[in-house]
Amino acid sequence: MKLAVVGGGSTYTPELIDGFARLRDTLPVRELVLIDPATERLELIGGLARRIFARQGHPGLITTTSDLDAGVADADAVLIQLRIGGQAARLQDETWPLECGCVGQETTGAGGLAKALRTVPVVLDIADRVRRANPDAWIIDFTNPVGIVTRALLKAGHKAVGLCNVAIGFQRKFAALLDVTPAEIHLDHVGLNHLTWETAVRLGGPGDTDVLPGLLAEHGDAVAADLRLPRAVLDRLGVVPSYYLRYFYAHDEVVRELGEKPSRAAEVAAMERELLALYGDPALDEKPALLAKRGGAFYSEAAVDLAAALLGGGGPSVQVVNTLNNGTLPFLADDAVIEVQARVDGSGPTPLSVARPDPLYAGLISHVTAYEDLALDAALRGGRERVFRALLAHPLVGQFDLAEGLTDRLLAHNKEHLPWA
């Protein structure tokens, strides 16, 4: 099979390459095309990718191109991992919201809206070109904000699935704490992208005994430390929230922290420079240890498993994905995009039934879904008023003056990427 990676010049890409190489029996890739307009970076990544394949004895061909249409031609699946505006735009997303006393983060709050506005039109253009080249190709979206981007793709009728590494990270963490294999862990994972809770941890599969209460009793301190939340919060909730929930549960504390230390964007930019220098070493033929600090842990394994299921490798499987609600959460519209366990096969994902979330979680899910409705409308149609409405609807904003100030800043910092601004 042929796979194409749009954004193949990302410093994340060697993680993906390593997964393709190690799991070649699961996903037998004949040709892998890395596509990116940044040709210098692309050649560094492509060279390392070929060396990784060679070291691990993978027979697949790796090619690079800046020509999107040529790269996606005949591809069975296209993986999209983009950052419009690069780390410079991310730095802005993490900085200007703090001027209004709001969290600065690239997927949550006002910064997340800015990223969605920059990203959705570009991804839709790519998807249209993929469909013209090969209407049967699957699109797997890693590009944040995954929920909004996936919703845009599905609204436009594309064969698309969104993927995030939060669930697989929890699966691996819980497996290590319980001293079992990851395959033995089934999560009752429910919510929206970057707004999810693990409401049960089952050994075996759906419907098996929930071991979450015992896991929290024995290992709650370790889990809480990873989430940077007090142990008492987990004990009171009785569930494990995604670490992105800290932006909601401890918003003011996070804002203070962000104002006192270098931004994550600055840290990542420095790390990327070091990684690119490493990637240029012709003796390097494996992903460097530094890449683990870049983020995206286990996303290569999640991507391989998802692509294999969609393309018929090894039959259907159960995975956490972003897909249409279609009645799974009855308090949301069918066309909302949710992040839950789903049965995935060649026809796409089918969400498994989930218990109705507690109102404590269902309320926030509904609230953020309403914001995502407005965010997508602003991304598709533009306009200051649509941006303002989306910000006013966001639970981390919600005040008229705040939304006004954030709207002005968002538009001022993103004029280069928003033709209508």
Side-chain angles (χ1 to χ4, degrees), residues 240-271:
V240 178
S242 159
Y243 44 86
Y244 287 92
L245 264 298
R246 186 168 184 260
Y247 297 118
F248 294 81
Y249 292 160
H251 176 272
D252 293 351
E253 179 182 352
V254 171
V255 169
R256 286 193 296 272
E257 290 173 359
L258 293 174
E260 296 170 356
K261 65 178 185 178
S263 70
R264 174 62 176 166
E267 294 175 355
V268 170
M271 201 178 305

mmCIF file of all heavy atoms in Angstrom, residues 240-271:
data_model
loop_
_atom_site.group_PDB
_atom_site.id
_atom_site.type_symbol
_atom_site.label_atom_id
_atom_site.label_comp_id
_atom_site.label_asym_id
_atom_site.label_seq_id
_atom_site.Cartn_x
_atom_site.Cartn_y
_atom_site.Cartn_z
ATOM 1 N N VAL A 240 -10.502 9.860 35.597
ATOM 2 C CA VAL A 240 -9.219 10.473 35.253
ATOM 3 C C VAL A 240 -9.442 11.438 34.095
ATOM 4 O O VAL A 240 -9.747 11.014 32.972
ATOM 5 C CB VAL A 240 -8.174 9.412 34.865
ATOM 6 C CG1 VAL A 240 -6.857 10.092 34.464
ATOM 7 C CG2 VAL A 240 -7.934 8.447 36.023
ATOM 8 N N PRO A 241 -9.321 12.745 34.336
ATOM 9 C CA PRO A 241 -9.494 13.707 33.250
ATOM 10 C C PRO A 241 -8.238 13.780 32.391
ATOM 11 O O PRO A 241 -7.126 13.537 32.867
ATOM 12 C CB PRO A 241 -9.724 15.028 33.979
ATOM 13 C CG PRO A 241 -8.990 14.867 35.274
ATOM 14 C CD PRO A 241 -9.062 13.415 35.624
ATOM 15 N N SER A 242 -8.406 14.124 31.139
ATOM 16 C CA SER A 242 -7.260 14.451 30.294
ATOM 17 C C SER A 242 -6.481 15.590 30.924
ATOM 18 O O SER A 242 -7.047 16.450 31.604
ATOM 19 C CB SER A 242 -7.745 14.859 28.897
ATOM 20 O OG SER A 242 -6.765 15.630 28.228
ATOM 21 N N TYR A 243 -5.168 15.613 30.680
ATOM 22 C CA TYR A 243 -4.363 16.702 31.237
ATOM 23 C C TYR A 243 -4.782 18.054 30.687
ATOM 24 O O TYR A 243 -4.495 19.094 31.286
ATOM 25 C CB TYR A 243 -2.872 16.465 30.993
ATOM 26 C CG TYR A 243 -2.473 15.996 29.627
ATOM 27 C CD1 TYR A 243 -2.246 16.897 28.597
ATOM 28 C CD2 TYR A 243 -2.306 14.637 29.365
ATOM 29 C CE1 TYR A 243 -1.872 16.466 27.338
ATOM 30 C CE2 TYR A 243 -1.922 14.187 28.102
ATOM 31 C CZ TYR A 243 -1.703 15.108 27.094
ATOM 32 O OH TYR A 243 -1.330 14.672 25.843
ATOM 33 N N TYR A 244 -5.506 18.078 29.558
ATOM 34 C CA TYR A 244 -6.021 19.353 29.047
ATOM 35 C C TYR A 244 -7.123 19.923 29.940
ATOM 36 O O TYR A 244 -7.431 21.119 29.849
ATOM 37 C CB TYR A 244 -6.540 19.192 27.621
ATOM 38 C CG TYR A 244 -5.447 19.035 26.601
ATOM 39 C CD1 TYR A 244 -4.996 17.775 26.229
ATOM 40 C CD2 TYR A 244 -4.837 20.142 26.016
ATOM 41 C CE1 TYR A 244 -3.971 17.618 25.305
ATOM 42 C CE2 TYR A 244 -3.818 19.997 25.095
ATOM 43 C CZ TYR A 244 -3.393 18.737 24.745
ATOM 44 O OH TYR A 244 -2.378 18.590 23.833
ATOM 45 N N LEU A 245 -7.725 19.088 30.771
ATOM 46 C CA LEU A 245 -8.761 19.602 31.674
ATOM 47 C C LEU A 245 -8.185 20.506 32.742
ATOM 48 O O LEU A 245 -8.924 21.266 33.385
ATOM 49 C CB LEU A 245 -9.522 18.435 32.308
ATOM 50 C CG LEU A 245 -10.830 18.006 31.639
ATOM 51 C CD1 LEU A 245 -11.857 19.121 31.640
ATOM 52 C CD2 LEU A 245 -10.589 17.537 30.225
ATOM 53 N N ARG A 246 -6.870 20.452 32.937
ATOM 54 C CA ARG A 246 -6.259 21.362 33.909
ATOM 55 C C ARG A 246 -6.484 22.820 33.497
ATOM 56 O O ARG A 246 -6.576 23.698 34.357
ATOM 57 C CB ARG A 246 -4.765 21.076 34.040
ATOM 58 C CG ARG A 246 -4.083 21.875 35.145
ATOM 59 C CD ARG A 246 -2.685 21.365 35.445
ATOM 60 N NE ARG A 246 -2.125 22.092 36.559
ATOM 61 C CZ ARG A 246 -1.253 23.120 36.445
ATOM 62 N NH1 ARG A 246 -0.870 23.503 35.233
ATOM 63 N NH2 ARG A 246 -0.792 23.721 37.507
ATOM 64 N N TYR A 247 -6.591 23.081 32.196
ATOM 65 C CA TYR A 247 -6.851 24.450 31.749
ATOM 66 C C TYR A 247 -8.219 24.932 32.204
ATOM 67 O O TYR A 247 -8.456 26.142 32.297
ATOM 68 C CB TYR A 247 -6.748 24.541 30.226
ATOM 69 C CG TYR A 247 -5.370 24.231 29.699
ATOM 70 C CD1 TYR A 247 -5.168 23.149 28.842
ATOM 71 C CD2 TYR A 247 -4.268 24.985 30.076
ATOM 72 C CE1 TYR A 247 -3.896 22.854 28.357
ATOM 73 C CE2 TYR A 247 -3.006 24.699 29.601
ATOM 74 C CZ TYR A 247 -2.822 23.631 28.742
ATOM 75 O OH TYR A 247 -1.573 23.331 28.280
ATOM 76 N N PHE A 248 -9.127 24.007 32.478
ATOM 77 C CA PHE A 248 -10.464 24.356 32.954
ATOM 78 C C PHE A 248 -10.536 24.283 34.477
ATOM 79 O O PHE A 248 -11.090 25.187 35.114
ATOM 80 C CB PHE A 248 -11.501 23.400 32.345
ATOM 81 C CG PHE A 248 -11.646 23.532 30.858
ATOM 82 C CD1 PHE A 248 -10.752 22.911 30.002
ATOM 83 C CD2 PHE A 248 -12.677 24.278 30.304
ATOM 84 C CE1 PHE A 248 -10.880 23.031 28.623
ATOM 85 C CE2 PHE A 248 -12.805 24.405 28.931
ATOM 86 C CZ PHE A 248 -11.903 23.785 28.092
ATOM 87 N N TYR A 249 -9.991 23.203 35.052
ATOM 88 C CA TYR A 249 -10.117 22.990 36.494
ATOM 89 C C TYR A 249 -9.172 23.860 37.312
ATOM 90 O O TYR A 249 -9.392 24.051 38.515
ATOM 91 C CB TYR A 249 -9.851 21.511 36.818
ATOM 92 C CG TYR A 249 -10.898 20.546 36.301
ATOM 93 C CD1 TYR A 249 -10.601 19.191 36.149
ATOM 94 C CD2 TYR A 249 -12.192 20.964 35.978
ATOM 95 C CE1 TYR A 249 -11.544 18.281 35.682
ATOM 96 C CE2 TYR A 249 -13.137 20.065 35.517
ATOM 97 C CZ TYR A 249 -12.814 18.732 35.368
ATOM 98 O OH TYR A 249 -13.748 17.838 34.906
ATOM 99 N N ALA A 250 -8.096 24.365 36.707
ATOM 100 C CA ALA A 250 -7.133 25.199 37.425
ATOM 101 C C ALA A 250 -6.691 26.368 36.537
ATOM 102 O O ALA A 250 -5.512 26.690 36.470
ATOM 103 C CB ALA A 250 -5.934 24.357 37.866
ATOM 104 N N HIS A 251 -7.657 26.997 35.884
ATOM 105 C CA HIS A 251 -7.354 28.012 34.867
ATOM 106 C C HIS A 251 -6.476 29.141 35.407
ATOM 107 O O HIS A 251 -5.436 29.477 34.817
ATOM 108 C CB HIS A 251 -8.652 28.591 34.298
ATOM 109 C CG HIS A 251 -8.439 29.703 33.315
ATOM 110 N ND1 HIS A 251 -8.328 31.025 33.706
ATOM 111 C CD2 HIS A 251 -8.287 29.693 31.971
ATOM 112 C CE1 HIS A 251 -8.129 31.784 32.645
ATOM 113 N NE2 HIS A 251 -8.104 31.006 31.568
ATOM 114 N N ASP A 252 -6.858 29.734 36.512
ATOM 115 C CA ASP A 252 -6.124 30.894 37.011
ATOM 116 C C ASP A 252 -4.713 30.508 37.441
ATOM 117 O O ASP A 252 -3.758 31.273 37.239
ATOM 118 C CB ASP A 252 -6.876 31.540 38.170
ATOM 119 C CG ASP A 252 -8.199 32.164 37.726
ATOM 120 O OD1 ASP A 252 -8.436 32.248 36.505
ATOM 121 O OD2 ASP A 252 -8.984 32.565 38.605
ATOM 122 N N GLU A 253 -4.566 29.344 38.027
ATOM 123 C CA GLU A 253 -3.244 28.857 38.411
ATOM 124 C C GLU A 253 -2.361 28.671 37.174
ATOM 125 O O GLU A 253 -1.182 29.049 37.170
ATOM 126 C CB GLU A 253 -3.372 27.531 39.165
ATOM 127 C CG GLU A 253 -2.048 26.925 39.595
ATOM 128 C CD GLU A 253 -2.232 25.590 40.296
ATOM 129 O OE1 GLU A 253 -3.384 25.202 40.586
ATOM 130 O OE2 GLU A 253 -1.210 24.917 40.555
ATOM 131 N N VAL A 254 -2.942 28.110 36.117
ATOM 132 C CA VAL A 254 -2.181 27.903 34.878
ATOM 133 C C VAL A 254 -1.768 29.245 34.276
ATOM 134 O O VAL A 254 -0.630 29.413 33.814
ATOM 135 C CB VAL A 254 -3.003 27.080 33.864
ATOM 136 C CG1 VAL A 254 -2.305 27.050 32.511
ATOM 137 C CG2 VAL A 254 -3.223 25.658 34.372
ATOM 138 N N VAL A 255 -2.665 30.222 34.274
ATOM 139 C CA VAL A 255 -2.339 31.541 33.728
ATOM 140 C C VAL A 255 -1.157 32.148 34.490
ATOM 141 O O VAL A 255 -0.236 32.720 33.885
ATOM 142 C CB VAL A 255 -3.566 32.472 33.772
ATOM 143 C CG1 VAL A 255 -3.170 33.914 33.468
ATOM 144 C CG2 VAL A 255 -4.606 32.001 32.770
ATOM 145 N N ARG A 256 -1.162 32.028 35.826
ATOM 146 C CA ARG A 256 -0.034 32.554 36.614
ATOM 147 C C ARG A 256 1.263 31.850 36.222
ATOM 148 O O ARG A 256 2.311 32.487 36.051
ATOM 149 C CB ARG A 256 -0.310 32.375 38.111
ATOM 150 C CG ARG A 256 -1.339 33.342 38.667
ATOM 151 C CD ARG A 256 -1.321 33.335 40.184
ATOM 152 N NE ARG A 256 -1.712 32.033 40.735
ATOM 153 C CZ ARG A 256 -2.965 31.684 40.997
ATOM 154 N NH1 ARG A 256 -3.963 32.538 40.729
ATOM 155 N NH2 ARG A 256 -3.238 30.504 41.502
ATOM 156 N N GLU A 257 1.201 30.530 36.082
ATOM 157 C CA GLU A 257 2.393 29.772 35.715
ATOM 158 C C GLU A 257 2.922 30.191 34.344
ATOM 159 O O GLU A 257 4.128 30.360 34.151
ATOM 160 C CB GLU A 257 2.077 28.275 35.693
ATOM 161 C CG GLU A 257 1.826 27.672 37.059
ATOM 162 C CD GLU A 257 1.364 26.227 36.950
ATOM 163 O OE1 GLU A 257 1.233 25.726 35.810
ATOM 164 O OE2 GLU A 257 1.132 25.600 37.989
ATOM 165 N N LEU A 258 2.018 30.346 33.390
ATOM 166 C CA LEU A 258 2.431 30.696 32.030
ATOM 167 C C LEU A 258 3.073 32.083 31.980
ATOM 168 O O LEU A 258 3.923 32.343 31.115
ATOM 169 C CB LEU A 258 1.229 30.637 31.084
ATOM 170 C CG LEU A 258 0.640 29.248 30.838
ATOM 171 C CD1 LEU A 258 -0.635 29.355 29.996
ATOM 172 C CD2 LEU A 258 1.647 28.334 30.149
ATOM 173 N N GLY A 259 2.667 32.951 32.873
ATOM 174 C CA GLY A 259 3.248 34.286 32.907
ATOM 175 C C GLY A 259 4.608 34.347 33.567
ATOM 176 O O GLY A 259 5.287 35.378 33.509
ATOM 177 N N GLU A 260 5.023 33.240 34.178
ATOM 178 C CA GLU A 260 6.275 33.239 34.953
ATOM 179 C C GLU A 260 7.382 32.401 34.330
ATOM 180 O O GLU A 260 8.486 32.343 34.880
ATOM 181 C CB GLU A 260 5.990 32.710 36.372
ATOM 182 C CG GLU A 260 5.059 33.596 37.183
ATOM 183 C CD GLU A 260 4.606 32.929 38.471
ATOM 184 O OE1 GLU A 260 4.962 31.742 38.681
ATOM 185 O OE2 GLU A 260 3.902 33.594 39.255
ATOM 186 N N LYS A 261 7.128 31.774 33.188
ATOM 187 C CA LYS A 261 8.152 30.894 32.616
ATOM 188 C C LYS A 261 8.132 31.015 31.099
ATOM 189 O O LYS A 261 7.162 31.523 30.513
ATOM 190 C CB LYS A 261 7.898 29.448 33.032
ATOM 191 C CG LYS A 261 6.605 28.853 32.482
ATOM 192 C CD LYS A 261 6.446 27.394 32.896
ATOM 193 C CE LYS A 261 5.214 26.770 32.233
ATOM 194 N NZ LYS A 261 5.067 25.343 32.598
ATOM 195 N N PRO A 262 9.195 30.552 30.422
ATOM 196 C CA PRO A 262 9.201 30.581 28.955
ATOM 197 C C PRO A 262 8.044 29.761 28.394
ATOM 198 O O PRO A 262 7.613 28.763 28.994
ATOM 199 C CB PRO A 262 10.561 29.951 28.599
ATOM 200 C CG PRO A 262 11.396 30.111 29.827
ATOM 201 C CD PRO A 262 10.450 30.024 30.979
ATOM 202 N N SER A 263 7.540 30.150 27.251
ATOM 203 C CA SER A 263 6.416 29.448 26.648
ATOM 204 C C SER A 263 6.843 28.074 26.154
ATOM 205 O O SER A 263 8.024 27.823 25.869
ATOM 206 C CB SER A 263 5.847 30.246 25.479
ATOM 207 O OG SER A 263 6.770 30.240 24.398
ATOM 208 N N ARG A 264 5.874 27.194 26.058
ATOM 209 C CA ARG A 264 6.155 25.876 25.491
ATOM 210 C C ARG A 264 6.614 26.020 24.042
ATOM 211 O O ARG A 264 7.467 25.270 23.579
ATOM 212 C CB ARG A 264 4.891 25.006 25.572
ATOM 213 C CG ARG A 264 4.999 23.649 24.894
ATOM 214 C CD ARG A 264 6.053 22.781 25.515
ATOM 215 N NE ARG A 264 6.060 21.443 24.880
ATOM 216 C CZ ARG A 264 7.045 20.558 25.023
ATOM 217 N NH1 ARG A 264 8.093 20.863 25.788
ATOM 218 N NH2 ARG A 264 6.989 19.401 24.421
ATOM 219 N N ALA A 265 6.070 26.979 23.327
ATOM 220 C CA ALA A 265 6.470 27.192 21.933
ATOM 221 C C ALA A 265 7.959 27.512 21.838
ATOM 222 O O ALA A 265 8.657 27.022 20.942
ATOM 223 C CB ALA A 265 5.650 28.308 21.308
ATOM 224 N N ALA A 266 8.465 28.347 22.750
ATOM 225 C CA ALA A 266 9.885 28.683 22.740
ATOM 226 C C ALA A 266 10.729 27.457 23.045
ATOM 227 O O ALA A 266 11.782 27.236 22.424
ATOM 228 C CB ALA A 266 10.174 29.789 23.750
ATOM 229 N N GLU A 267 10.272 26.635 24.001
ATOM 230 C CA GLU A 267 10.983 25.403 24.321
ATOM 231 C C GLU A 267 11.026 24.465 23.117
ATOM 232 O O GLU A 267 12.068 23.876 22.795
ATOM 233 C CB GLU A 267 10.317 24.701 25.504
ATOM 234 C CG GLU A 267 10.403 25.449 26.816
ATOM 235 C CD GLU A 267 9.622 24.752 27.913
ATOM 236 O OE1 GLU A 267 8.936 23.741 27.621
ATOM 237 O OE2 GLU A 267 9.678 25.213 29.066
ATOM 238 N N VAL A 268 9.885 24.318 22.448
ATOM 239 C CA VAL A 268 9.811 23.408 21.308
ATOM 240 C C VAL A 268 10.654 23.922 20.147
ATOM 241 O O VAL A 268 11.317 23.146 19.450
ATOM 242 C CB VAL A 268 8.343 23.195 20.883
ATOM 243 C CG1 VAL A 268 8.266 22.458 19.553
ATOM 244 C CG2 VAL A 268 7.590 22.423 21.960
ATOM 245 N N ALA A 269 10.645 25.237 19.928
ATOM 246 C CA ALA A 269 11.439 25.793 18.841
ATOM 247 C C ALA A 269 12.919 25.502 19.049
ATOM 248 O O ALA A 269 13.639 25.129 18.104
ATOM 249 C CB ALA A 269 11.199 27.301 18.737
ATOM 250 N N ALA A 270 13.400 25.642 20.279
ATOM 251 C CA ALA A 270 14.800 25.324 20.578
ATOM 252 C C ALA A 270 15.068 23.836 20.387
ATOM 253 O O ALA A 270 16.107 23.433 19.846
ATOM 254 C CB ALA A 270 15.134 25.748 22.004
ATOM 255 N N MET A 271 14.120 23.022 20.821
ATOM 256 C CA MET A 271 14.258 21.571 20.664
ATOM 257 C C MET A 271 14.273 21.184 19.193
ATOM 258 O O MET A 271 15.052 20.300 18.777
ATOM 259 C CB MET A 271 13.094 20.885 21.394
ATOM 260 C CG MET A 271 13.314 19.434 21.756
ATOM 261 S SD MET A 271 11.877 18.783 22.647
ATOM 262 C CE MET A 271 11.737 19.961 23.990
#
